[in-house]
Amino acid sequence: MNDLNTLWGEVADRLKQDIDPYHYKSYIALIRPRSWDNGRVVLEVPNQRFVEWINSSYLETIGELMTAASGRDLDVRLVSKRNGNTPHPPPARANPFNDKYSFESFVVGRGNSTAYAASQAIVEHPGQVYNPLFIYSGVGLGKTHLLHAIGNAVYHERPELQIAYVTSEEFTNEFIQAIRYDRSVELRNKYRNLDILLIDDLQFLADKEATLEELFHTFNTLYNNAKQIVFTSDRPPNEIKLDERLVTRFEWGLVIDIQPPDIETRIAIINSKAENEGVKLPEEVVDLIAQRVRTNVRTIEGAILRLSAFSAISEQPITVKMAREVLGNILGRETPKVSIGVIQKVVCEHFEIPLRDLLSKSRSAAIVFPRQIAMYLSRNLTNAKLNEIGLQFGGRDHSTVIHSYNKIRNLVEHEPEIAALVSKLERRAAAGGQ
Ligand code: ADP
Ligand code: MG
């Protein structure tokens, strides 16, 4: 029996239970025990990149687990297989992507599943399926996260591919510098020899004619060589002031939007973030945040971090009362002050029907549809409970409200015209019915 192998087997099993399965599979499973000599253990990994990554993320835990499992104080070192005997291994190419933003840590829901699937497809088949891919949404809904997720997956799974991420502001600056210092050729080489180019926040290029011209040529070169380009923006292509030719190019590929997460997805996001941060949130607190923070995942993260910090400092467990106090202004800020009455007024005005009919028992299609939309908006924009909404719509029960909500949610997802109508009514209601 080999003691070191047994010891390592135990430690690896422990790690497997504790860490992200993806990390386990990509890193820990590739570690091989090499030697155990007096209090020093040497573990071998495939290359220097692993040494650095495991050193920074897991070495301490590995050391503690080995010490605990062996009952002896052990000093654990990593060496890379290829460079195991070279004193100065060449520096590895560092991962330029934020490893917090991975596909694994992205919560998929109705509003973002298409963007998620398309991003994954790009790692599998760059340049072949959706080219270019154009993702747009409001702030804090995961666009940058998805670009980094593509980057991380390529870095770990397809290291043979050349990939670059750049914000459109960085691209502009590089372009200006290149002209000033006569380095246009270098710039072209940098961007035109890639397999995948990720450009974040394209809206900042609006009206920047010279930069857009450069981008257009970069685009054409990559596109003609079947190389992948992914853009994000806070609005659809035809609403950014871009070169018409570029807008036409977007139609060759896939343009998708990310919708704000619905309540179920918000709950899933909150639970996942809390778990990642090691924060215990009672269910009522999860519900409170999910009810109140509707349109920006970054705000959800901020709320969790604040609660967690407050709970640590005050040495008190997190409760609803604490959440209301600590998050007062975050929750207040996101909540539009919309009443069911205002929603009903806005919907009646739009469909030109009397309020009396909206609240009646009428089953005529001309009334049922507006009523369902009004219920949907009431659930989305107010904090009213289901039975409360039912009551305000002529005394219907909560299952009718759920049915209406699901029906409209489905339409919003599949029919762009209805999605546009619903957002218009939503904006009007949020503006107090003006
Ligand atoms: P955007 O670029 O669209 O403004 P980001 O990608 O920067 O938004 O996202 C803001 C924050 O919210 C990030 O920390 C990101 O990890 C998180 N986030 C957004 N959407 C999701 C999601 N579906 N699942 C998990 N985290 C998300
Ligand atoms: Mg972003």
Side-chain angles (χ1 to χ4, degrees), residues 279-282 285 288-289 303-329 331:
V279 182
K280 281 208 167 25
L281 291 183
V285 174
L288 176 73
I289 301 174
I304 296 172
L305 291 178
R306 239 160 99 171
L307 270 181
S308 142
F310 189 85
S311 142
I313 293 167
S314 64
E315 300 185 344
Q316 299 289 322
I318 297 173
T319 60
V320 176
K321 184 162 170 284
M322 178 193 289
R324 284 190 197 283
E325 280 167 23
V326 175
L327 303 179
N329 58 2
L331 299 180

Side-chain angles (χ1 to χ4, degrees), residues 22-31 49-50 53-54 156:
Y22 177 78
H23 282 175
Y24 182 84
K25 205 174 93 215
S26 337
Y27 298 99
I28 307 298
L30 303 177
I31 298 178
R49 179 155 70 73
F50 281 73
W53 200 84
I54 295 172
H156 293 300

Side-chain angles (χ1 to χ4, degrees), residues 135-332:
I135 303 176
Y136 70 94
S137 78
V139 302
L141 293 183
K143 299 182 294 294
T144 300
H145 187 134
L146 283 177
L147 293 188
H148 278 263
I150 294 174
N152 276 309
V154 166
Y155 180 82
H156 293 300
E157 294 158 26
R158 314 219 33 197
E160 75 281 9
L161 297 178
Q162 295 295 321
I163 181 168
Y165 165 95
V166 66
T167 67
S168 63
E169 284 156 312
E170 286 159 2
F171 188 83
T172 307
N173 290 339
E174 285 184 42
F175 175 66
I176 293 170
Q177 299 289 322
I179 293 182
R180 180 174 306 157
Y181 299 107
D182 207 11
R183 286 199 311 249
S184 305
V185 177
E186 282 96 321
L187 185 73
R188 280 181 195 157
N189 286 341
K190 173 171 172 191
Y191 286 111
R192 296 188 191 180
N193 292 320
L194 293 167
D195 296 297
I196 304 177
L197 174 57
L198 310 168
I199 299 193
D200 207 359
D201 289 323
L202 185 67
Q203 72 273 7
F204 293 122
L205 288 194
D207 283 333
K208 297 213 167 73
E209 280 171 27
T211 313
L212 281 170
E213 182 74 21
E214 177 68 21
L215 180 65
F216 179 72
H217 292 298
T218 304
F219 179 97
N220 279 342
T221 308
L222 290 173
Y223 187 88
N224 291 336
N225 291 319
K227 303 302 187 185
Q228 181 71 47
I229 309 118
V230 185
F231 295 96
T232 74
S233 156
D234 69 352
R235 64 201 83 162
N238 57 5
E239 289 178 22
I240 317 174
K241 284 200 184 137
L242 294 174
D243 191 326
E244 264 309 308
R245 294 172 302 173
L246 204 50
V247 177
T248 314
R249 300 299 189 270
F250 295 143
E251 285 154 16
W252 298 349
L254 179 67
V255 176
I256 26 186
D257 65 338
I258 301 181
Q259 292 287 332
D262 56 26
I263 180 105
E264 289 86 353
T265 312
R266 297 201 295 274
I267 291 177
I269 290 176
I270 296 167
N271 283 324
S272 141
K273 301 280 171 194
E275 197 183 314
N276 288 345
E277 297 296 329
V279 182
K280 281 208 167 25
L281 291 183
E283 210 172 304
E284 296 100 320
V285 174
V286 174
D287 285 348
L288 176 73
I289 301 174
Q291 285 285 345
R292 301 290 190 85
V293 185
R294 297 198 161 87
T295 54
N296 187 334
V297 179
R298 193 171 286 125
T299 311
I300 292 182
E301 291 176 334
I304 296 172
L305 291 178
R306 239 160 99 171
L307 270 181
S308 142
F310 189 85
S311 142
I313 293 167
S314 64
E315 300 185 344
Q316 299 289 322
I318 297 173
T319 60
V320 176
K321 184 162 170 284
M322 178 193 289
R324 284 190 197 283
E325 280 167 23
V326 175
L327 303 179
N329 58 2
I330 292 188
L331 299 180

